[in-house]
């Protein structure tokens, strides 16, 4: 590399470190955004469920952000397919040429794995490959996970309570964190340079005896036992909820609300144009929701067994699993095969879900530590992981398919 | 207190779960290098198969990571 390139890369890394969480420790952190709220289940795009079944067994049907992301993928794939298919010529144009090269390459790969059955398995394997690939790749576009609506503190605490109720515990308000957003409205995003825009629910809200959530009124505070008390004259609450004396000579009017001073020096400031809450993104990588990989795995396994049944016949295929003819050892082997089939679904699901969810978490943490510039190599790595997981899912579908259609006597 | 035990559990889950895949990836890459040394012409094929196998080894670590994440974010 030439010297100017090295210099630019070096400056980029230094800026990224100083602008991020590490720089924040020295009063910098001009690029950093707060560490986003990591949540395992997909979040609903609309606050209310789409269909309220009222049944505990099925649950409500909500439109989640991962669903929206996978619909976008479907639209993209359908649009590309339609464009290619509209004008098929003998001498291919650019788009048709790209599609043909891709398909021929992948069909060759499929032939290596599945042999004569490749043409039969290819449509499903290719669909799975493209669906997962596009899902993974659009999942790291900007806007995924960063633009959304704000869930109110009451709702956040309500969810924490529901979770605590399942665990037979109590909500510790100190552990419930909120982010602070500029302005209100249906679309918000986390602005850069806002690393410290976090507050604890206990700083501004308290639980009433009947389980409701109320604002701590101005001029009052919560003591250690959870009782409301007036803030004594000449004192204020700091960020940790401790009473402190207002320094001599400061104007009392500058100390806004329960505990915050309107000043740039105080990290946890909340002025009147800001809203506390949690960001619920409109879009999120579809495979970071366990349901999408599970659905794909079920489709793949059902089709694999369908192929096996149509090739070997019902008894031919069932005979692999329930086997009385060849003695007790083969019977146990058959039982193990059943367990193996179930384990395949689980490993299919968790391999894809784990990789993509871990990737999302990695990107969130890296965006916190090394924002804007330092995160670029990790984005590249996520592109590679997304491609590899799509390949692995498709290759395994082909492999399991060709194993399933092989009759038992052959091997 | 309960949270502390969960955190320790998550750390143990990913810590122990990373040992196996770590050994596997090392073994895999070592053998691939060996094969590459013996047969440099097959570099493309070896690399392709190695990466595929690496992904499978890595997936085991990811399972452990999922358990750790479940412990922290869900349980």
């Amino acid at each position: 590399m030439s010297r100017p390139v090295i210099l630019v890369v070096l400056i980029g890394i230094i800026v990224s470190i100083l602008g991020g969480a590490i720089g924040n420790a020295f009063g910098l952190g001009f690029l950093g955004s707060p560490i986003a709220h990591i949540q395992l289940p997909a979040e609903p795009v609309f606050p209310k469920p789409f269909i309220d079944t009222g049944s505990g067994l099925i649950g409500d049907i909500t439109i989640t952000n991962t669903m929206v992301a996978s619909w976008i993928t479907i639209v993209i794939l359908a649009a590309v397919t339609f464009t290619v298919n509209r004008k098929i010529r003998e001498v291919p144009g650019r788009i048709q040429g790209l599609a043909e090269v891709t398909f021929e390459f992948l069909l060759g790969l499929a032939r290596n794995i599945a042999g004569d059955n490749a043409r039969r398995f290819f449509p499903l394997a290719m669909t799975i490959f493209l669906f997962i690939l596009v899902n993974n790749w659009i999942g790291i576009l900007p806007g995924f996970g960063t633009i959304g609506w704000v869930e109110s503190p009451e709702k956040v605490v309500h969810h924490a309570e529901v979770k605590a109720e399942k665990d037979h515990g109590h909500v510790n308000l100190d552990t419930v964190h909120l982010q602070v957003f500029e302005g209100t409205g249906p679309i918000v995003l986390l602005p850069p340079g806002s690393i410290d825009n976090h507050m604890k629910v206990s700083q501004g809200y308290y639980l009433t005896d009947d389980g409701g959530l109320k604002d701590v009124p101005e001029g009052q505070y919560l003591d250690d036992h959870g009782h409301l008390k007036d803030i004594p004259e000449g004192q204020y609450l700091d960020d940790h909820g401790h009473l402190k004396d207002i320094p001599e000579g400061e104007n009392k009017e500058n100390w806004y609300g329960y505990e915050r001073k309107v000043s740039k020096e105080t990290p946890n400031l909340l002025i009147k144009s800001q809203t506390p809450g949690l960001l619920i993104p409109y879009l999120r990588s579809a495979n970071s929701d366990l349901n999408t990989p599970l659905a794909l795995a079920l489709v793949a396994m059902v089709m694999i067994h369908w192929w096996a049944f149509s090739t070997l016949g019902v008894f031919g295929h069932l005979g692999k699993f329930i086997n009385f003819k060849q003695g007790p050892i083969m019977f146990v082997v058959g039982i193990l095969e059943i367990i193996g089939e179930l384990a395949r679904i689980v490993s299919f699901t968790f391999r894809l879900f784990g990789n993509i969810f871990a990737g999302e978490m990695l990107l969130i943490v890296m965006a916190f530590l090394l924002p804007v510039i330092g995160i670029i190599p990790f984005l590249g790595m996520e592109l590679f992981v997304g491609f590899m997981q799509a390949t692995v899912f498709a290759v395994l579908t082909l492999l399991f398919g060709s194993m399933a259609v092989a009759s038992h006597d052959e091997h | 207190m309960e949270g502390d035990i969960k955190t320790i559990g998550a750390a143990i889950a990913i810590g122990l779960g990373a040992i196996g895949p770590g050994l596997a990836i090392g073994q895999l890459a070592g053998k691939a290098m060996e094969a590459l040394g013996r047969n440099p012409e097959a570099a493309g094929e070896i690399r392709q198969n190695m990466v595929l196998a690496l992904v499978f080894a890595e997936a085991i670590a990811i399972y452990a990571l999922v358990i750790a994440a479940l412990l922290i974010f869900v349980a």
Side-chain angles (χ1 to χ4, degrees):
Chain A
M1 269 198 288
S2 58
R3 281 185 66 188
V5 175
I6 296 176
L7 204 66
V8 167
V9 169
L10 214 64
I11 289 172
I13 292 171
I14 291 170
V15 166
S16 195
I17 291 173
L18 290 184
I22 301 166
N24 191 52
F26 304 103
L28 293 162
F30 44 88
L31 291 172
S33 53
I35 195 156
H37 175 59
I38 299 174
Q39 203 199 358
L40 204 58
E43 300 99 336
V45 173
F46 303 110
K48 278 187 181 157
F50 184 59
I51 300 170
D52 196 344
T53 55
S55 139
L57 187 65
I58 308 169
D60 298 331
I61 297 171
T62 42
I63 295 181
T64 61
N65 41 19
T66 50
M67 273 164 81
V68 176
S70 61
W71 291 341
I72 291 174
T73 303
I74 293 169
V75 168
I76 290 173
L77 285 178
V80 170
T81 320
F82 183 74
T83 330
V84 173
N85 269 353
R86 205 164 40 125
K87 294 184 274 185
I88 289 186
R89 298 203 196 96
E90 197 75 14
V91 181
R94 271 192 205 165
I95 303 174
Q96 197 190 335
L98 177 72
E100 278 182 16
V101 167
T102 318
F103 269 73
E104 263 163 37
F105 174 73
L106 291 168
L107 189 56
L109 210 70
R111 281 219 176 87
N112 277 344
I113 298 159
D116 296 335
N117 290 311
R119 279 307 292 271
R120 196 168 153 216
F121 299 164
F122 188 66
L124 179 72
M126 187 71 188
T127 311
I128 286 175
F129 173 76
L130 287 176
F131 185 72
I132 296 175
L133 184 75
V134 176
N135 259 335
N136 291 349
W137 280 3
I138 66 170
I140 58 175
L141 285 177
F144 273 73
T146 47
I147 300 174
W149 57 279
V150 174
E151 195 177 53
S152 66
E154 286 84 357
K155 279 279 175 58
V156 173
V157 171
H158 176 69
H159 289 163
E161 276 177 344
V162 170
K163 210 168 102 177
E165 209 170 288
K166 275 185 204 157
D167 302 345
H168 308 289
H170 290 286
V171 186
N172 182 4
L173 285 185
D174 269 340
T175 62
V176 184
H177 288 258
L178 296 175
Q179 295 156 338
V180 176
F181 299 96
E182 291 295 333
T184 50
I187 296 176
V188 294
L189 55 138
L190 293 173
S194 54
I195 274 184
D196 282 322
N197 276 359
H198 271 291
M199 62 180 277
K200 288 176 183 171
V201 172
S202 58
Q203 287 172 334
Y205 297 89
Y206 69 96
L207 282 172
T208 56
D209 291 335
D210 54 348
L213 189 73
K214 288 229 170 106
D215 279 302
V216 176
E218 214 165 308
Q220 293 194 307
Y221 76 104
L222 286 176
D223 68 356
D224 296 338
H225 308 289
H227 300 301
L228 273 182
K229 291 223 172 117
D230 286 329
I231 298 178
E233 195 72 29
Q235 289 194 311
Y236 76 103
L237 280 181
D238 71 352
D239 297 332
H240 306 289
H242 301 303
L243 277 178
K244 290 238 174 100
D245 288 326
I246 294 177
E248 283 292 329
E250 286 269 357
N251 186 354
K252 195 174 178 289
E253 293 304 307
N254 286 344
W255 302 78
Y256 170 76
Y258 354 100
E259 79 275 25
R260 284 178 193 79
K261 185 195 176 195
V262 184
S263 127
K264 291 236 157 146
E265 281 82 38
T266 316
N268 265 331
L269 88 171
L270 184 70
I271 49 180
K272 275 177 179 158
S273 70
Q274 290 178 320
T275 5
L278 273 187
L279 183 77
I280 308 293
Y282 286 125
L283 293 167
R284 178 173 153 186
S285 185
N287 288 322
S288 66
D289 178 4
L290 189 58
N291 297 309
T292 320
L294 180 63
L296 286 169
L298 286 175
V299 167
M301 288 316 283
V302 165
M303 277 311 288
I304 285 165
H305 285 282
W306 169 255
W307 290 327
F309 274 125
S310 59
T311 310
L312 304 171
V314 174
F315 292 106
H317 186 50
L318 278 184
K320 286 183 192 171
F321 302 108
I322 304 162
N323 192 342
F324 294 112
K325 286 178 200 159
Q326 288 157 298
I329 292 176
M330 289 314 283
F331 178 75
V332 176
V333 169
I335 302 269
L336 287 179
E337 292 252 339
I338 294 175
I339 298 169
E341 293 295 316
L342 293 175
R344 274 177 191 174
I345 298 177
V346 176
S347 75
F348 253 145
T349 313
F350 275 96
R351 186 182 299 115
L352 182 55
F353 162 74
N355 271 286
I356 302 307
F357 183 69
E360 292 258 296
M361 273 199 298
L362 179 79
L363 289 185
I364 286 174
V365 172
M366 281 304 152
F368 175 70
L369 284 176
L370 306 167
V372 186
I373 300 152
I375 197 178
I376 294 173
F378 295 97
L379 290 174
M381 202 190 85
E382 279 316 301
L383 282 179
F384 176 71
V385 167
F387 172 76
M388 277 320 290
Q389 289 310 315
T391 315
V392 164
F393 208 112
V395 163
L396 281 182
T397 309
L398 289 169
L399 206 64
F400 290 157
S402 47
M403 275 160 73
V405 296
S407 124
H408 214 250
D409 308 323
E410 281 169 24
H411 62 228
Chain B
M1 187 60 206
E2 194 193 346
D4 296 345
I5 290 173
K6 272 181 193 166
T7 316
I8 292 171
I12 291 175
I14 183 64
L16 290 183
I19 295 175
L23 289 173
I25 290 171
Q27 187 89 345
L28 246 162
K31 291 281 177 192
M33 294 297 145
E34 225 166 74
L36 207 60
R38 279 169 210 244
N39 192 1
E41 291 91 57
E45 195 121 321
I46 291 171
R47 189 183 306 121
Q48 194 185 327
N49 287 319
M50 183 189 75
V51 170
L52 202 63
L54 281 182
V55 170
F56 286 114
E58 192 196 51
I60 299 167
I62 298 284
Y63 299 155
L65 188 67
V66 169
I67 299 297
L70 282 174
L71 277 174
I72 289 180
F73 297 120
V74 175

